[in-house]
Amino acid sequence: MRVLFTAAEIFPFAKTGGLADIAHALPKALSEHLDVVSLMPLYRFIDKKRYQIEPTGMEMTLIVGETLHTVEIFSTHYEGVEHLFVYNETLCDCEGIYGPPGGCYENNDIRFAIFSHAIVELSKRLSIELLHLNDWHTALAAPLVKDAGLKTRIVFTIHNLAYQGIFPPLSISRTGLSPHHFTLEDMEFYGSLNWLKGGIAHSDAVTTVSPSYAVEIQLPEFGCGLDGFLRLHHEKLSGILNGIDTTLYDPSGDPSLPYHFSAGRMANKSRCKKAYLEEIDIDTPELPLFIFIGRFVEQKGLDWIIDAANVIGKFPMVLSILGGGERRYEMLFDALSQQYSNIHVQIGYDESLSHRMYAAADFLLMPSRFEPCGLNQMIAMRYGTIPVVHRIGGLRDTVHPWNGKEPLCGKGVSFSEPGASGLVRAIEEAIELYDTRRTFRRIRKFDMDCDFSIRRCAQRYESLYRTLF
Ligand code: GLC
């Protein structure tokens, strides 16, 4: 089966979040059994030399609305997967993927329409049998494939329903979409055009990234206005839990770590903790170290951490935060780190530092308001770091109560009621668990032995693909 896997971001070429990680790990795992080609835009900031990205000589002229756009196709092989890249000035000559920090580009509809038209053209030229689209940035390709009369089967994955690609109606003509799609059953959404609806309506199967999120998004509370539409299409909707690349995240050989460890040899994890605390100039290695790693957006429950800061500041613990995004959060966290000596904040993103933090920590905080899947909790467990999470979406599916009887994989501390008080209680529970030492070590080892590998996830996708033929 010839598969084209497309996303707006793929690690290590371009990344803003978990989408890039999955878009790297999944095609790699799928390509063990299937003929998979990955495709993304060749943004100007991508280091072509470093990744040996070369022109293929293939050029295409696309008609997008009234405008002709020339696109060039580049390629490289990375970790056994053939990666194709679409280069076009309008799509790629920008500093960010979606916009400047915290914003989005005004012409994102045209940019990603060019990408979507290129996906359709390549599906034809490469005789693609199955097209796997991810998030709204590629969703327009679904109606375009159907309008072109192609037999290509389409799987559309929603990584985050909060981002839908909503544009004013005039966008229809400039993106080259046939106006017949502007109906309630199709892409019309409160007088605007909604790309995600197009992806849902015109795909053969729709997936999201955890079973719990697949249920939640059909409820008004989490449906972002599309719960009714998703209920209508529920028969083709399923939740497939993401996984992580266990070679990339491997505490026994991770090149970013000062010391290596595994479930049977844990002494070096304490050394990683000591080394990290020295690095951030905190000298209380006996206290539990909590970390938070992620984008600074409302989804991640940052307000609850901020509301709980006066309590956290007094607790016998250290909290180390790494991330960036919305300016207001960056400023608030900066202020908190000045105020409390046990709260440390590093603004920005640093892949290697994040690995050292996973290795050093005792607990990972993940109080997301909603979480389609979440990868950090799986990475944390692989490094023997116990997750403390809001029991929601993919967090509910991967982190089960540590004191529960069920032998389910992934154990940690969780809280159900949204808000700072739930989070504080969960942190208290984690500190108590830390103090038990023996139980703490047992849970930590249990988590390290769990299988969150992308292989399991890839098997599920492969079976789904096969049901469509
Ligand atoms: C998005 C979601 C996150 C998910 C990731 C990969 O970033 O917010 O929950 O893990 O996509 O699917």
Side-chain angles (χ1 to χ4, degrees):
M1 187 190 308
R2 195 149 166 73
V3 180
L4 183 64
F5 187 97
T6 72
E9 49 181 283
I10 301 180
F11 176 84
F13 313 110
K15 166 171 167 175
T16 65
L19 169 62
D21 292 318
I22 282 298
H24 157 252
L26 185 55
K28 187 172 145 187
L30 284 169
S31 65
E32 285 177 20
H33 296 122
L34 306 170
D35 178 9
V36 185
V37 182
S38 279
L39 179 73
M40 68 174 287
L42 187 59
Y43 305 109
R44 192 178 62 192
F45 58 80
I46 294 177
D47 193 338
K48 290 212 277 288
K49 226 190 199 152
R50 174 164 178 202
Y51 299 114
Q52 297 168 5
I53 301 172
E54 310 275 358
T56 59
M58 193 195 290
E59 255 191 39
M60 315 188 294
T61 305
L62 306 170
I63 309 169
V64 180
E66 310 267 277
T67 319
L68 286 185
H69 287 276
T70 308
V71 308
E72 284 170 73
I73 308 300
F74 286 69
S75 81
T76 191
H77 275 84
Y78 184 78
E79 296 190 349
V81 179
E82 182 185 2
H83 284 265
L84 295 181
F85 297 83
V86 174
Y87 177 75
N88 161 274
E89 253 186 314
T90 313
L91 169 64
C92 303
D93 279 356
C94 45
E95 310 247 310
I97 300 179
Y98 313 110
C104 54
Y105 296 122
E106 238 170 54
N107 64 344
N108 271 349
D109 57 340
I110 299 183
R111 293 180 61 227
F112 290 106
I114 296 171
F115 186 43
S116 300
H117 281 271
I119 293 170
V120 179
E121 189 54 35
L122 275 169
S123 300
K124 269 190 233 164
R125 294 197 190 187
L126 304 177
S127 313
I128 295 300
E129 293 163 286
L130 189 128
L131 179 58
H132 192 151
L133 304 171
N134 293 278
D135 277 352
W136 74 262
H137 331 106
T138 54
L140 197 70
L144 295 177
V145 161
K146 298 289 152 143
D147 289 351
L150 302 184
K151 293 278 170 291
T152 315
R153 306 294 200 275
I154 304 175
V155 172
F156 179 53
T157 299
I158 301 170
H159 294 262
N160 194 337
L161 190 67
Y163 304 99
Q164 299 181 2
I166 298 174
F167 300 101
L170 65 88
S171 174
I172 299 175
S173 56
R174 65 179 202 169
T175 52
L177 182 71
S178 162
H180 80 265
H181 290 292
F182 199 61
T183 62
L184 186 61
E185 305 73 52
D186 206 330
M187 295 174 73
E188 192 273 342
F189 185 68
Y190 299 100
S192 295
L193 186 71
N194 184 321
W195 283 29
L196 207 83
K197 279 189 80 185
I200 296 166
H202 299 283
S203 296
D204 301 292
V206 178
T207 71
T208 184
V209 288
S210 69
S212 286
Y213 193 61
V215 175
E216 288 168 0
I217 56 177
Q218 297 182 57
L219 305 169
E221 204 187 337
F222 296 100
C224 304
L226 288 185
D227 46 293
F229 196 65
L230 286 161
R231 284 196 300 276
L232 190 70
H233 289 282
H234 77 273
E235 278 179 8
K236 62 177 178 184
L237 171 67
S238 62
I240 299 183
L241 191 69
N242 281 338
I244 53 169
D245 182 336
T246 45
T247 20
L248 187 66
Y249 298 109
D250 175 10
S252 70
D254 187 333
S256 303
L257 305 190
Y259 306 99
H260 293 127
F261 57 93
S262 57
R265 276 188 322 140
M266 287 299 278
N268 276 352
K269 181 166 167 77
S270 315
R271 293 200 179 96
C272 287
K273 178 176 176 182
K274 267 191 97 181
Y276 178 66
L277 289 174
E278 270 165 30
E279 189 179 329
I280 62 172
D281 215 8
I282 288 185
D283 60 358
T284 45
E286 69 286 358
L287 298 183
L289 170 62
F290 289 70
I291 55 169
F292 172 92
I293 298 176
R295 280 176 296 133
F296 287 180
V297 289
E298 199 190 0
Q299 174 195 343
K300 299 294 174 184
L302 299 163
D303 302 281
W304 302 346
I305 299 182
I306 292 162
D307 289 347
N310 58 344
V311 185
I312 293 175
K314 289 186 210 110
F315 274 170
M317 62 181 276
V318 174
L319 171 60
S320 179
I321 295 172
L322 169 67
E326 287 176 29
R327 193 75 197 106
R328 62 185 171 121
Y329 289 123
E330 295 188 356
M331 279 156 58
L332 279 165
F333 278 130
D334 209 37
L336 290 179
S337 68
Q338 314 269 342
Q339 198 176 344
Y340 301 104
S341 59
N342 65 340
I343 301 183
H344 163 265
V345 176
Q346 165 101 23
I347 307 283
Y349 195 70
D350 180 336
E351 193 76 25
S352 154
L353 172 61
S354 74
H355 286 227
R356 295 204 299 284
M357 288 173 72
Y358 285 120
D362 298 298
F363 297 100
L364 170 88
L365 279 192
M366 223 168 150
S368 309
R369 284 167 185 263
F370 67 94
E371 195 59 76
C373 178
L375 301 173
N376 292 7
Q377 78 279 17
M378 299 191 225
I379 302 170
M381 288 189 262
R382 178 117 173 102
Y383 286 78
T385 295
I386 300 174
V388 178
V389 306
H390 185 207
R391 232 169 122 62
I392 201 92
L395 297 172
R396 171 193 285 271
D397 295 335
T398 48
V399 183
H400 308 281
W402 62 273
N403 47 5
K405 292 279 167 285
E406 334 84 280
L408 294 172
C409 232
K411 286 189 192 282
V413 181
S414 56
F415 61 100
S416 302
E417 71 280 35
S421 53
L423 171 63
V424 167
R425 268 196 298 281
I427 293 177
E428 276 175 318
E429 189 181 325
I431 295 174
E432 278 163 32
L433 173 61
Y434 180 78
D435 289 339
T436 65
R437 298 318 290 169
R438 265 191 75 197
T439 315
F440 171 74
R441 287 202 193 105
R442 188 168 50 79
I443 303 298
R444 187 163 77 169
K445 183 169 174 341
F446 180 88
D447 281 347
M448 289 181 84
D449 288 336
C450 290
D451 177 12
F452 289 115
S453 72
I454 192 74
R455 273 229 174 85
R456 253 179 347 131
C457 165
Q459 280 162 3
R460 301 279 316 274
Y461 276 104
E462 191 184 332
S463 322
L464 173 70
Y465 292 171
R466 297 207 188 277
T467 62
L468 303 179
F469 292 90

PDB file of all heavy atoms in Angstrom, residues 18-19 22 159-160 209 242 295 299 371-375, ligand 1:
ATOM      1  N   GLY A  18       3.459  18.754  19.703  1.00  0.00           N
ATOM      2  CA  GLY A  18       3.409  17.293  19.606  1.00  0.00           C
ATOM      3  C   GLY A  18       3.108  16.769  18.204  1.00  0.00           C
ATOM      4  O   GLY A  18       3.514  15.658  17.855  1.00  0.00           O
ATOM      5  N   LEU A  19       2.416  17.574  17.396  1.00  0.00           N
ATOM      6  CA  LEU A  19       2.115  17.149  16.025  1.00  0.00           C
ATOM      7  C   LEU A  19       3.411  16.764  15.301  1.00  0.00           C
ATOM      8  O   LEU A  19       3.479  15.730  14.632  1.00  0.00           O
ATOM      9  CB  LEU A  19       1.386  18.277  15.277  1.00  0.00           C
ATOM     10  CG  LEU A  19       1.230  18.112  13.772  1.00  0.00           C
ATOM     11  CD1 LEU A  19       0.401  16.877  13.432  1.00  0.00           C
ATOM     12  CD2 LEU A  19       0.572  19.346  13.141  1.00  0.00           C
ATOM     13  N   ILE A  22       4.750  13.295  16.438  1.00  0.00           N
ATOM     14  CA  ILE A  22       3.984  12.166  15.911  1.00  0.00           C
ATOM     15  C   ILE A  22       4.205  12.035  14.406  1.00  0.00           C
ATOM     16  O   ILE A  22       4.339  10.938  13.866  1.00  0.00           O
ATOM     17  CB  ILE A  22       2.481  12.380  16.211  1.00  0.00           C
ATOM     18  CG1 ILE A  22       2.226  12.045  17.658  1.00  0.00           C
ATOM     19  CG2 ILE A  22       1.580  11.554  15.330  1.00  0.00           C
ATOM     20  CD1 ILE A  22       2.534  10.607  18.000  1.00  0.00           C
ATOM     21  N   HIS A 159      -5.508  16.400  15.726  1.00  0.00           N
ATOM     22  CA  HIS A 159      -4.589  16.425  16.875  1.00  0.00           C
ATOM     23  C   HIS A 159      -5.052  17.413  17.925  1.00  0.00           C
ATOM     24  O   HIS A 159      -4.647  17.326  19.072  1.00  0.00           O
ATOM     25  CB  HIS A 159      -3.167  16.769  16.416  1.00  0.00           C
ATOM     26  CG  HIS A 159      -2.580  15.716  15.546  1.00  0.00           C
ATOM     27  ND1 HIS A 159      -1.729  14.749  16.018  1.00  0.00           N
ATOM     28  CD2 HIS A 159      -2.762  15.439  14.230  1.00  0.00           C
ATOM     29  CE1 HIS A 159      -1.397  13.933  15.030  1.00  0.00           C
ATOM     30  NE2 HIS A 159      -2.022  14.331  13.927  1.00  0.00           N
ATOM     31  N   ASN A 160      -5.847  18.374  17.497  1.00  0.00           N
ATOM     32  CA  ASN A 160      -6.368  19.348  18.456  1.00  0.00           C
ATOM     33  C   ASN A 160      -7.562  20.055  17.831  1.00  0.00           C
ATOM     34  O   ASN A 160      -7.410  20.836  16.895  1.00  0.00           O
ATOM     35  CB  ASN A 160      -5.271  20.362  18.806  1.00  0.00           C
ATOM     36  CG  ASN A 160      -5.643  21.174  20.021  1.00  0.00           C
ATOM     37  OD1 ASN A 160      -6.819  21.310  20.355  1.00  0.00           O
ATOM     38  ND2 ASN A 160      -4.640  21.716  20.694  1.00  0.00           N
ATOM     39  N   VAL A 209      -6.468  11.477  18.695  1.00  0.00           N
ATOM     40  CA  VAL A 209      -5.246  10.871  19.198  1.00  0.00           C
ATOM     41  C   VAL A 209      -5.345  10.139  20.542  1.00  0.00           C
ATOM     42  O   VAL A 209      -4.333   9.704  21.085  1.00  0.00           O
ATOM     43  CB  VAL A 209      -4.108  11.908  19.188  1.00  0.00           C
ATOM     44  CG1 VAL A 209      -3.667  12.178  17.768  1.00  0.00           C
ATOM     45  CG2 VAL A 209      -4.544  13.223  19.843  1.00  0.00           C
ATOM     46  N   ASN A 242      -1.713   7.906  20.645  1.00  0.00           N
ATOM     47  CA  ASN A 242      -0.359   8.155  20.133  1.00  0.00           C
ATOM     48  C   ASN A 242       0.668   7.317  20.883  1.00  0.00           C
ATOM     49  O   ASN A 242       0.377   6.767  21.942  1.00  0.00           O
ATOM     50  CB  ASN A 242       0.029   9.617  20.379  1.00  0.00           C
ATOM     51  CG  ASN A 242      -0.579  10.564  19.377  1.00  0.00           C
ATOM     52  OD1 ASN A 242      -0.957  10.152  18.281  1.00  0.00           O
ATOM     53  ND2 ASN A 242      -0.658  11.824  19.732  1.00  0.00           N
ATOM     54  N   ARG A 295       4.195  24.182  25.705  1.00  0.00           N
ATOM     55  CA  ARG A 295       3.849  25.473  25.115  1.00  0.00           C
ATOM     56  C   ARG A 295       3.080  26.282  26.143  1.00  0.00           C
ATOM     57  O   ARG A 295       2.239  25.729  26.864  1.00  0.00           O
ATOM     58  CB  ARG A 295       2.957  25.259  23.889  1.00  0.00           C
ATOM     59  CG  ARG A 295       3.719  24.858  22.637  1.00  0.00           C
ATOM     60  CD  ARG A 295       2.766  24.568  21.489  1.00  0.00           C
ATOM     61  NE  ARG A 295       1.903  23.415  21.781  1.00  0.00           N
ATOM     62  CZ  ARG A 295       0.598  23.381  21.601  1.00  0.00           C
ATOM     63  NH1 ARG A 295      -0.033  24.430  21.119  1.00  0.00           N
ATOM     64  NH2 ARG A 295      -0.099  22.302  21.882  1.00  0.00           N
ATOM     65  N   GLN A 299      -4.536  26.090  27.043  1.00  0.00           N
ATOM     66  CA  GLN A 299      -4.835  24.656  27.082  1.00  0.00           C
ATOM     67  C   GLN A 299      -4.048  23.910  28.162  1.00  0.00           C
ATOM     68  O   GLN A 299      -4.539  22.961  28.777  1.00  0.00           O
ATOM     69  CB  GLN A 299      -4.521  24.043  25.703  1.00  0.00           C
ATOM     70  CG  GLN A 299      -4.646  22.518  25.670  1.00  0.00           C
ATOM     71  CD  GLN A 299      -4.002  21.899  24.429  1.00  0.00           C
ATOM     72  OE1 GLN A 299      -3.734  22.573  23.440  1.00  0.00           O
ATOM     73  NE2 GLN A 299      -3.765  20.600  24.470  1.00  0.00           N
ATOM     74  N   GLU A 371      -6.716  17.759  26.803  1.00  0.00           N
ATOM     75  CA  GLU A 371      -5.494  17.221  26.217  1.00  0.00           C
ATOM     76  C   GLU A 371      -5.845  16.098  25.246  1.00  0.00           C
ATOM     77  O   GLU A 371      -6.227  15.003  25.649  1.00  0.00           O
ATOM     78  CB  GLU A 371      -4.560  16.692  27.308  1.00  0.00           C
ATOM     79  CG  GLU A 371      -3.129  16.451  26.851  1.00  0.00           C
ATOM     80  CD  GLU A 371      -2.463  17.726  26.307  1.00  0.00           C
ATOM     81  OE1 GLU A 371      -2.076  18.598  27.105  1.00  0.00           O
ATOM     82  OE2 GLU A 371      -2.365  17.818  25.072  1.00  0.00           O
ATOM     83  N   PRO A 372      -5.773  16.378  23.933  1.00  0.00           N
ATOM     84  CA  PRO A 372      -6.116  15.352  22.947  1.00  0.00           C
ATOM     85  C   PRO A 372      -5.365  14.037  23.202  1.00  0.00           C
ATOM     86  O   PRO A 372      -5.957  12.970  23.216  1.00  0.00           O
ATOM     87  CB  PRO A 372      -5.697  15.998  21.633  1.00  0.00           C
ATOM     88  CG  PRO A 372      -5.861  17.479  21.886  1.00  0.00           C
ATOM     89  CD  PRO A 372      -5.476  17.683  23.321  1.00  0.00           C
ATOM     90  N   CYS A 373      -4.069  14.123  23.389  1.00  0.00           N
ATOM     91  CA  CYS A 373      -3.326  12.940  23.818  1.00  0.00           C
ATOM     92  C   CYS A 373      -2.289  13.353  24.844  1.00  0.00           C
ATOM     93  O   CYS A 373      -2.334  12.975  25.996  1.00  0.00           O
ATOM     94  CB  CYS A 373      -2.651  12.230  22.640  1.00  0.00           C
ATOM     95  SG  CYS A 373      -1.717  10.811  23.247  1.00  0.00           S
ATOM     96  N   GLY A 374      -1.333  14.164  24.403  1.00  0.00           N
ATOM     97  CA  GLY A 374      -0.218  14.510  25.288  1.00  0.00           C
ATOM     98  C   GLY A 374       0.862  13.457  25.117  1.00  0.00           C
ATOM     99  O   GLY A 374       0.578  12.253  25.139  1.00  0.00           O
ATOM    100  N   LEU A 375       2.064  13.914  24.870  1.00  0.00           N
ATOM    101  CA  LEU A 375       3.182  12.972  24.723  1.00  0.00           C
ATOM    102  C   LEU A 375       4.103  13.061  25.931  1.00  0.00           C
ATOM    103  O   LEU A 375       4.751  12.090  26.308  1.00  0.00           O
ATOM    104  CB  LEU A 375       3.978  13.297  23.453  1.00  0.00           C
ATOM    105  CG  LEU A 375       3.179  13.257  22.147  1.00  0.00           C
ATOM    106  CD1 LEU A 375       4.026  13.765  20.985  1.00  0.00           C
ATOM    107  CD2 LEU A 375       2.683  11.853  21.855  1.00  0.00           C
TER     108      LEU A 375
HETATM  109  C1  GLC B   1      -1.471  18.270  19.805  1.00  0.00           C
HETATM  110  C2  GLC B   1      -2.268  17.963  21.073  1.00  0.00           C
HETATM  111  C3  GLC B   1      -1.554  16.927  21.937  1.00  0.00           C
HETATM  112  C4  GLC B   1      -1.160  15.720  21.096  1.00  0.00           C
HETATM  113  C5  GLC B   1      -0.335  16.169  19.876  1.00  0.00           C
HETATM  114  C6  GLC B   1       0.042  15.019  18.963  1.00  0.00           C
HETATM  115  O1  GLC B   1      -0.308  18.991  20.117  1.00  0.00           O
HETATM  116  O2  GLC B   1      -2.505  19.140  21.830  1.00  0.00           O
HETATM  117  O3  GLC B   1      -2.391  16.489  22.983  1.00  0.00           O
HETATM  118  O4  GLC B   1      -0.391  14.828  21.866  1.00  0.00           O
HETATM  119  O5  GLC B   1      -1.093  17.079  19.125  1.00  0.00           O
HETATM  120  O6  GLC B   1      -1.060  14.310  18.499  1.00  0.00           O
END
